[in-house]
Amino acid sequence: MTKFFAMKDNCTTNCTEKCAGFFQKTRDKLAVLQESDFERNEKKLRELLKDERELIQFPIPLFMPVLFVWLFMILFPLVLILDTSNSTHFAIRLEGIIRFYFPLLSSLFIFALNQKFLVPSYVFKKRYASYFALNSLLVVVALFIREVTYFLMERMPGEGVSEFFKTYCFSFVKGHFSLSAVVSFVILVCFVCVLCVLYHLMFRQIVRAFVLRERKRMELQYELDFLKNQLSPHFLFNTLNNISALIQIDSKRAESSMNKLSQLLRVMLYQVKDKYITLQEDVDILQKYADLEKLRLDDSFDFSFNVHLENPNLMIEPLLIMPLMENAMKHCVNPKGKSFAHVTIVQKGNELRFHSENSNFPRKSSRKDSGLGLSTFEKRLDLIYSGSYEYSVNIVDDVYISDLIIHLKEENS
């Protein structure tokens, strides 16, 4: 008996492993197909963006393609109805066309309501009973409108509302209403509901996969740009040269600068791999970076770094604000006037404010992609804090002013 149960357990385990392996292989194959589709569509989009024709650039609202699809679905049956050579030719009468189009239009209307409102508002919020009740109500309303329409086409002179409810509405007597028609329409509506749910599931999965793909690519690109530009050999070479020059002038300051460089390198090479770091750690990185950048500036450089943190342990994405700090420090050197950079960081509750003012003397560069780039910074903000941040830049009297307000996520608290 023991051997029997052992064999049964082994068989169950093997079946489970085979099912898991099959599921994983299928998932991997679908992931490859999905990625190839993304790549193919991305190439098509890049080719489309190269087209400078005026017609291609004409703005088109998103509902227009959907409208054309609906028009095709509605008008295409007319090809069959009006084709005289068709063996199943319909009598071209208003009554025949209405009888043909009524279930089609009713199904399209129910499909549109499900797709736009009912499935997102009820199915994905697990309000299944309400979803079933509303679709049942739609079926009853559609059938009632069908009865009204047929009564208006078939009624005899003198027949009014009372005759409609007494002898016609949902009545089998005159042959216009049948159980088979009701069952067929209910089955059609059920099929429409299933299609809408599957459509939303697939659409959400595709959008989720695309967003995750773009987010991963942006994060990798951000880290790559940062390592190529911020921690470039040029940056290290200049910093080490500045520290070397300080050794003979001020050995203690040189030693302190070397420690800061070592800490900055260690943090940027290892700590930034974490999804979140504390706000205090991120501010410390900014401070160390500013201290190292000041080594190339003379004593007349006016720099202030004011920090007020209500909760220093609040979590934030690493190096999120670094591009603004880098921009303030790199483009503030003014050979014709006083150079300065004033930075203020304030955190209260879930709100983080960054404000910087610096003398505006941007470096000239032949490369459009030099530095981290504020465009990459804004893309990263859009990915992480879409709709939860405010960013503005102003230049007033040769003073470059940056303001950033981020409403941090509750999960970061």
Side-chain angles (χ1 to χ4, degrees):
M1 185 66 70
T2 305
K3 290 182 179 180
F4 173 76
F5 283 114
M7 291 177 62
K8 187 176 180 180
D9 290 339
N10 290 334
C11 183
T12 304
T13 304
N14 291 334
C15 291
T16 304
E17 291 177 354
K18 287 181 180 179
C19 291
F22 174 77
F23 178 78
Q24 186 61 39
K25 288 180 181 178
T26 305
R27 186 178 182 276
D28 293 340
K29 289 180 181 179
L30 292 176
V32 172
L33 290 175
Q34 186 181 65
E35 183 63 26
S36 63
D37 285 341
F38 283 153
E39 290 291 338
R40 186 164 52 252
N41 290 326
E42 194 173 31
K43 290 179 182 177
K44 290 181 180 178
L45 183 60
R46 284 198 295 265
E47 292 175 0
L48 182 63
L49 291 175
K50 293 178 183 177
D51 198 331
E52 298 294 334
R53 287 179 294 177
E54 193 69 28
L55 182 61
I56 300 297
Q57 300 177 14
F58 195 81
I60 298 176
L62 291 177
F63 69 87
M64 290 297 291
V66 179
L67 178 63
F68 282 119
V69 172
W70 279 68
L71 286 175
F72 172 78
M73 293 175 65
I74 294 172
L75 297 179
F76 180 74
L78 287 177
V79 177
L80 299 176
I81 295 175
L82 301 177
D83 185 7
T84 56
S85 64
N86 195 340
S87 59
T88 57
H89 178 58
F90 298 96
I92 304 177
R93 293 181 301 151
L94 179 62
E95 180 181 349
I97 293 177
I98 290 176
R99 289 181 183 276
F100 180 84
Y101 266 102
F102 189 88
L104 175 64
L105 294 176
S106 300
S107 302
L108 289 177
F109 179 72
I110 293 175
F111 177 85
L113 284 178
N114 272 269
Q115 183 190 12
K116 194 71 176 177
F117 302 107
L118 299 184
V119 173
S121 300
Y122 292 92
V123 174
F124 289 105
K125 292 183 180 179
K126 299 181 179 180
R127 299 163 64 184
Y128 304 120
S130 300
Y131 178 73
F132 177 78
L134 287 172
N135 275 286
S136 301
L137 179 62
L138 287 175
V139 170
V140 174
V141 170
L143 291 174
F144 179 76
I145 295 175
R146 175 182 182 272
E147 292 294 281
V148 173
T149 305
Y150 286 6
F151 177 74
L152 293 176
M153 292 189 301
E154 298 176 356
R155 74 186 184 94
M156 301 299 291
E159 291 183 337
V161 177
S162 59
E163 286 77 9
F164 169 74
F165 285 104
K166 287 179 180 178
T167 62
Y168 196 89
C169 186
F170 299 138
S171 173
F172 297 94
V173 176
K174 295 189 176 183
H176 67 283
F177 187 78
S178 63
L179 186 61
S180 61
V182 175
V183 172
S184 300
F185 187 67
V186 170
I187 292 174
L188 181 61
V189 170
C190 291
F191 181 68
V192 165
C193 293
V194 172
L195 283 181
C196 287
V197 173
L198 291 177
Y199 168 81
H200 274 275
L201 284 173
M202 290 187 291
F203 181 76
R204 287 187 175 207
Q205 183 62 23
I206 291 172
V207 171
R208 179 179 178 275
F210 180 77
V211 171
L212 289 176
R213 174 180 181 266
E214 291 300 309
R215 180 180 295 177
K216 182 178 179 180
R217 188 167 66 174
M218 286 298 300
E219 288 176 353
L220 291 174
Q221 187 63 42
Y222 180 86
E223 292 177 8
L224 180 62
D225 289 342
F226 191 87
L227 292 174
K228 282 183 176 179
N229 296 283
Q230 186 61 46
L231 296 178
S232 63
H234 180 70
F235 169 77
L236 294 176
F237 178 79
N238 287 341
T239 304
L240 290 172
N241 274 345
N242 292 330
I243 294 175
S244 178
L246 280 175
I247 291 176
Q248 313 225 344
I249 301 173
D250 190 344
S251 59
K252 290 185 177 180
R253 187 181 174 194
E255 182 181 358
S256 175
S257 299
M258 183 61 74
N259 289 333
K260 289 178 181 178
L261 177 61
S262 175
Q263 293 172 10
L264 184 63
L265 289 174
R266 183 170 59 252
V267 167
M268 289 183 175
L269 289 175
Y270 299 106
Q271 195 171 4
V272 295
K273 293 181 180 180
D274 298 333
K275 187 175 181 180
Y276 299 109
I277 62 175
T278 65
L279 193 55
Q280 185 63 57
E281 289 172 338
D282 201 61
V283 168
D284 290 341
I285 293 174
L286 300 180
Q287 180 69 67
K288 291 181 177 69
Y289 169 76
D291 291 341
L292 291 173
E293 281 289 331
K294 285 194 297 182
L295 293 177
R296 64 184 177 86
L297 304 171
D298 56 35
D299 295 335
S300 65
F301 176 68
D302 179 18
F303 175 76
S304 65
F305 188 73
N306 300 313
V307 179
H308 304 282
L309 303 180
E310 183 178 85
N311 181 10
N313 295 321
L314 195 67
M315 306 302 287
I316 190 173
E317 286 74 8
L319 306 179
L320 186 66
I321 312 175
M322 176 62 82
L324 297 181
M325 191 73 178
E326 180 191 35
N327 191 66
M329 297 298 295
K330 282 191 173 182
H331 303 312
C332 67
V333 180
N334 187 357
K336 298 180 182 180
K338 187 177 180 181
S339 302
F340 68 93
H342 301 157
V343 177
T344 302
I345 298 176
V346 178
Q347 175 266 321
K348 187 175 182 181
N350 282 347
E351 185 178 270
L352 177 65
R353 291 176 176 265
F354 176 94
H355 176 81
S356 69
E357 297 182 7
N358 60 272
S359 46
N360 185 38
F361 193 77
R363 295 180 179 181
K364 294 182 180 179
S365 175
S366 59
R367 297 185 306 162
K368 294 182 180 179
D369 56 346
S370 60
L372 282 174
L374 295 180
S375 60
T376 304
F377 162 71
E378 291 189 64
K379 288 178 182 177
R380 194 175 185 223
L381 277 177
D382 282 330
L383 284 171
I384 302 174
Y385 295 103
S386 178
S388 300
Y389 77 92
E390 299 172 28
Y391 173 62
S392 63
V393 171
N394 294 293
I395 299 177
V396 181
D397 298 330
D398 292 330
V399 177
Y400 191 94
I401 303 173
S402 297
D403 285 289
L404 174 66
I405 301 175
I406 302 176
H407 301 283
L408 299 174
K409 302 173 184 176
E410 293 181 0
E411 62 197 47
N412 295 7
S413 301

